[in-house]
Amino acid sequence: MNEAELRKTLLSYFETCFDRYESLFGCLRSDAAYFQKSISLRHPLIFYFGHTATFFVNKLLLAKLIPERINPRFEALFAVGVDEMSWDDLDEANYDWPTVAEVKAYRQQVRSAVTRVITEASWCGPMSWDNPWWAILMGIEHELIHLETSSVLIRQHRLDFVQPQSSWLPVNAKPVDCGAVPKNALVNVPAGAVTIGKGDPHADACASAGEARRYGWDNEYGVHYAEVPKFSASRMLVSNAEFLAFVDAGGYAEDRFWNEEGLGWRKFAKAMHPSFWVKQPDGWALRLMCEEVPMPWDWPVEVNCHEAAAFCVWKAEVTGMSVRLPTEDEWYRLYDLSGITPETPAQRRLSGGCSAVPVNQYAQGDFYDVVGNVWQWTCTPIYPLAGFEAHPIYDDFSIPTFDTRHNLIKGGSWISCGNEALRASRYAFRRHFFQHAGFRYVVGEAPLVPQVSHYEDDALLAQYAEFHFGQSYFDVPNFPRAVAEISLKAMQGKPMRRALDIGCAVGRTSFELAKGLPGALGFESVIGVDFSARFINLADELVRDGIVRYALTDEGSLQSFREITLAKLGFTDCSAKVAFLQGDACNLKENHREYDLVVAANLIDRLYDPAKFLDEISQRIVLGGVLVLTSPYTWLEEHTPRAQWLGGFRRDGERYTTLDALHAHLSRDFEPIGAPQDVPFVIRETARKFQHSVAQLTCWQRRA
């Protein structure tokens, strides 16, 4: 494909997906429906309407394909808030939602910006992981994910908030008596090997046959090989009729069928039957996206992972067999034996409508619906393949899910498009979440579920964990702690209510600010904000679990292992006062206000627009509040365009330093406290390689 053809194809793909996503929101009956939550664990739908557009802007900025933001307020408001991570900030008190009309107008601005990039930006091939244009595909595929997740939220919305749309009509369900639904049966699957993963993300081709040069998320790269023992699998997905036997047997009331996590969900939700089943005077109905229909008993049941697992425990008790959910490896074994290829029509949405279809409608080899119809839960928590590497402009796609709390779903559903429909795709959700997802069961040996490493071995993250919480080297005191101590001394005699640690990395300074100096109280509340989800995830793990383990590189592939705990660090009593959020220092959300102290340690020379940060930070600090800045002033074009460097060059023939620039930008709203201080720090790279740097620390007080 030449350049002109590629631009034309990519533009068509973008426009089709962008239009389809907007058409989905036509299923909302009124503007009011955008602002009411479908479920308590999610934002209202207005967030998701704006979120996918904001994602395009944020990623194209990181890829340097657009020069500036389109709407900074929206691009902070709609940036984060999709999963149940602590930094997602689902507190509605922090949000002042715009109108539907304003978001529609914003989406049009984003459409125009992306179109200009596709049609006018300079092109250099191939379209691969390392190409800035990968960000365009990332935005499209991200919107396709939300096409599906938003359709589930619409399905969970109040019925009076939604309306059928001609382009989103379900399959016409034919009445089938429950007893007439085809009986499921087990099919033997011979032992065999499976290979998962696309190999090196930086290579042009992928390891999976037939999937070269296709877009992939970072968790698909790397490699996993497994010998799968023989097992048996249900020929069809579990139908509503088959699941009814579990409901009628009192399966939702019997604690013994549920594991501890599942039982907690069942009691919290007060569930007595599948969420999309509706009990009516004359029998069961099924809630579809925009309507309720008489129960199609031959359609697949749609449940969460806890319900699917409980059914399997019940089925095992009834049959005396070892019934369970399949592993990811076993699903790949079914796929490889089915005869499906990436070009097989069954890979696409086959139903002809926007809903599931009968479980015996589409045969694929000896099975039905190996792909398509509804997603299928596995018992495998998602894990990184060997050689995994987070994509540099979206490091929070996969890493936060490598926590054993997110199980893989396989096969796609009737609404799955793009990457979701590929063999290599690896999507995972929390086990209590609902998607258009059902399950099939297997009988066989105990599952060989890959174990997620308990030691964080991301090299950069391990270095920062050691920098913040590990031992000191060459008699240089712990830098994050030293910054906190200087900041706390600067606050003596001032209120210490709220502090912001912006660019907090893995959070040591935040903890120290909450703990306070010896014999003195710390801050009542400390918010740590960082752009990197990897850093925030580790800090949050320390708060949540009280322990973090990581692996340091000694030399080559040799490692040393470290363990840090809140108790050993002395942070047990103060951790409840600390919270960590993901955010952009140059575009913070509006609710970051009224801080008594803001600490920005080694941040300004890593920002894409440090002048903007300095010019706006006074808006976040109370009168009389304190700003603490540290930086080694290491200006690099990979982080900050040269035109945006604060200092480190000549101006009018004279040396112009970063300290000169700080005075120029801050003098309007701040006055310096004391003289600049040098604070050294050491970062361990390997057992015999260290970075020894010296940051300059300055303190500033906001004046009236």
Side-chain angles (χ1 to χ4, degrees):
M1 185 181 298
N2 61 36
E3 178 185 330
E5 292 171 333
L6 184 144
R7 289 181 189 267
K8 182 178 179 181
T9 300
L10 187 57
L11 181 61
S12 175
Y13 190 33
F14 163 69
E15 291 178 336
T16 299
C17 296
F18 209 78
D19 288 341
R20 184 187 293 125
Y21 190 70
E22 292 186 344
S23 75
L24 176 69
F25 285 80
C27 295
L28 299 179
R29 188 179 295 275
S30 65
D31 283 6
Y34 283 83
F35 299 98
Q36 297 295 320
K37 286 189 174 185
S38 301
I39 58 173
S40 61
L41 301 177
R42 291 288 186 275
H43 279 310
L45 281 156
I46 189 67
F47 170 86
Y48 302 96
F49 192 45
H51 171 67
T52 58
T54 282
F55 185 93
F56 273 108
V57 175
N58 287 334
K59 300 313 175 190
L60 293 179
L61 271 172
L62 288 172
K64 298 181 174 58
L65 290 174
I66 57 175
E68 59 187 2
R69 295 194 170 278
I70 294 174
N71 186 319
R73 175 177 168 247
F74 284 10
E75 283 137 25
L77 185 68
F78 294 128
V80 181
V82 175
D83 202 353
E84 291 176 9
M85 305 300 179
S86 71
W87 59 83
D88 272 353
D89 186 19
L90 293 172
D91 184 355
E92 292 305 303
N94 292 332
Y95 293 86
D96 180 17
W97 301 116
T99 66
V100 176
E102 288 173 326
V103 180
K104 286 182 177 178
Y106 171 67
R107 286 186 61 86
Q108 286 302 115
Q109 290 178 291
V110 174
R111 176 196 290 267
S112 297
V114 178
T115 299
R116 282 195 299 273
V117 170
I118 295 173
T119 56
E120 300 174 12
S122 60
W123 162 254
C124 58
M127 179 75 87
S128 61
W129 168 290
D130 299 304
N131 191 321
W133 281 51
W134 195 253
I136 303 172
L137 287 175
M138 184 179 283
I140 296 170
E141 296 294 343
H142 171 264
E143 190 157 64
L144 291 179
I145 293 174
H146 281 284
L147 179 76
E148 182 151 349
T149 56
S150 295
S151 74
V152 176
L153 289 175
I154 290 173
R155 190 177 184 183
Q156 293 173 302
H157 222 353
R158 279 173 30 191
L159 199 57
D160 60 319
F161 277 148
V162 300
Q163 59 187 356
Q165 288 289 302
S166 59
S167 56
W168 292 98
L169 295 177
V171 170
N172 187 19
K174 298 178 182 178
V176 176
D177 183 76
C178 189
V181 175
K183 301 298 182 184
N184 217 340
L186 290 170
V187 177
N188 293 329
V189 181
V194 296
T195 300
I196 305 172
K198 294 184 172 183
D200 182 358
H202 305 284
D204 286 346
C206 306
S208 300
E211 295 191 4
R213 298 181 185 270
R214 294 180 184 270
Y215 178 84
W217 296 105
D218 54 14
N219 63 46
E220 300 168 24
Y221 291 93
V223 66
H224 168 75
Y225 176 83
E227 291 286 348
V228 182
K230 65 179 181 180
F231 64 99
S232 300
S234 61
R235 186 183 301 276
M236 296 175 288
L237 301 177
V238 173
S239 66
N240 287 312
E242 188 172 7
F243 199 85
L244 178 65
F246 172 65
V247 176
D248 286 346
Y252 279 82
E254 290 290 344
D255 291 358
R256 69 182 188 277
F257 299 141
W258 304 78
N259 62 26
E260 182 179 359
E261 182 186 341
L263 186 60
W265 167 79
R266 195 202 75 198
K267 290 181 176 180
F268 169 79
K270 298 181 174 59
M272 293 302 294
H273 54 75
S275 180
F276 298 121
W277 287 19
V278 182
K279 188 70 171 178
Q280 295 183 336
D282 57 347
W284 291 103
L286 182 67
R287 169 64 190 268
L288 302 181
M289 214 163 61
C290 297
E291 59 188 294
E292 294 175 358
V293 298
M295 180 63 72
W297 291 110
D298 56 348
W299 286 16
V301 68
E302 294 172 79
V303 292
N304 67 24
C305 191
H306 295 312
E307 295 166 294
F311 173 93
C312 289
V313 175
W314 168 80
K315 186 82 170 177
E317 183 177 289
V318 170
T319 62
M321 296 186 291
S322 300
V323 180
R324 56 174 172 80
L325 292 174
T327 64
E328 183 187 30
D329 291 346
E330 287 169 336
W331 180 85
Y332 276 107
R333 187 79 180 114
L334 295 182
Y335 185 103
D336 292 345
L337 292 172
S338 69
I340 301 170
T341 70
E343 288 73 36
T344 301
Q347 197 71 4
R348 295 181 281 108
R349 177 164 57 89
L350 288 172
S351 66
C354 298
S355 68
V357 296
V359 295
N360 63 336
Q361 186 163 337
Y362 291 106
Q364 296 163 353
D366 292 333
F367 296 89
Y368 290 86
D369 298 325
V370 174
V371 298
N373 210 352
V374 295
W375 288 96
Q376 300 163 51
W377 284 105
T378 74
C379 64
T380 306
I382 190 170
Y383 63 96
L385 304 180
F388 167 81
E389 180 181 336
H391 196 282
I393 68 169
Y394 196 8
D395 72 349
D396 53 335
F397 180 76
S398 299
I399 286 175
T401 67
F402 296 153
D403 60 359
T404 74
R405 295 176 173 86
H406 293 71
N407 274 33
L408 283 151
I409 56 176
K410 308 300 292 186
S413 75
W414 56 267
I415 197 174
S416 299
C417 305
N419 173 268
E420 293 172 304
L422 299 179
R423 176 188 184 276
S425 68
R426 304 180 76 230
Y427 293 89
F429 287 88
R430 291 182 183 269
R431 289 180 281 272
H432 62 270
F433 277 18
F434 290 97
Q435 290 298 303
H436 304 297
F439 67 103
R440 66 173 8 101
Y441 48 86
V442 303
V443 174
E445 298 179 10
L448 300 173
V449 179
Q451 296 297 309
V452 179
S453 171
H454 292 293
Y455 285 89
E456 175 55 62
D457 59 2
D458 178 293
L460 181 64
L461 192 54
Q463 288 174 18
Y464 269 80
E466 181 73 359
F467 176 45
H468 277 237
F469 303 111
Q471 67 186 73
S472 297
Y473 296 94
F474 308 111
D475 297 321
V476 175
N478 181 282
F479 178 79
R481 181 179 182 180
V483 171
E485 289 176 348
I486 295 171
S487 302
L488 288 165
K489 289 175 181 176
M491 292 299 299
Q492 289 183 353
K494 297 178 180 292
M496 295 208 299
R497 294 160 298 200
R498 302 180 70 228
L500 173 65
D501 181 10
I502 182 72
C504 66
V506 296
R508 177 67 181 263
T509 299
S510 299
F511 286 111
E512 296 286 357
L513 291 174
K515 181 180 179 181
L517 295 170
L521 295 175
F523 276 86
E524 298 172 13
S525 169
V526 182
I527 302 297
V529 174
D530 201 275
F531 191 76
S532 170
R534 287 182 289 176
F535 289 167
I536 291 295
N537 196 42
L538 188 143
D540 188 63
E541 182 181 346
L542 185 57
V543 172
R544 184 186 68 237
D545 301 333
I547 188 169
V548 165
R549 299 179 176 93
Y550 55 95
L552 287 170
T553 299
D554 289 335
E555 60 175 284
S557 60
L558 300 178
Q559 294 178 309
S560 295
F561 297 93
R562 300 283 195 271
E563 178 181 287
I564 54 177
T565 67
L566 282 175
K568 289 180 181 178
L569 292 166
F571 296 149
T572 303
D573 294 336
C574 68
S575 62
K577 300 192 293 181
V578 180
F580 295 98
L581 304 171
Q582 190 179 14
D584 179 353
C586 295
N587 195 37
L588 287 170
K589 288 183 178 179
E590 287 297 311
N591 59 297
H592 287 295
R593 302 277 180 183
E594 301 296 312
Y595 289 106
D596 299 296
L597 169 71
V598 172
V599 176
N602 294 359
L603 175 71
I604 57 173
D605 58 356
R606 291 297 180 265
L607 298 178
Y608 59 85
D609 194 349
K612 182 176 187 291
F613 171 77
L614 294 175
D615 292 342
E616 296 179 355
I617 195 62
S618 64
Q619 303 170 24
R620 313 287 179 173
I621 302 175
V622 300
L623 296 178
V626 173
L627 169 66
V628 175
L629 300 172
T630 81
S631 175
Y633 307 147
T634 309
W635 297 104
L636 298 171
E637 287 190 273
E638 64 184 273
H639 301 297
T640 312
R642 183 178 290 270
Q644 302 296 332
W645 291 4
L646 293 177
F649 48 80
R650 290 189 176 275
R651 173 178 286 183
D652 299 327
E654 300 293 329
R655 288 167 55 89
Y656 191 75
T657 68
T658 305
L659 183 60
D660 294 330
L662 294 183
H663 282 279
H665 283 279
L666 297 176
S667 60
R668 182 188 64 184
D669 299 311
F670 294 90
E671 57 187 9
I673 304 174
Q677 304 177 53
D678 284 344
V679 185
F681 61 93
V682 172
I683 296 178
R684 179 195 190 276
E685 292 188 17
T686 70
R688 296 183 178 277
K689 184 182 179 184
F690 299 81
Q691 299 178 27
H692 187 178
S693 307
V694 179
Q696 187 175 73
L697 183 148
T698 56
C699 293
W700 309 80
Q701 177 174 289
R702 189 183 173 197
R703 59 187 174 208

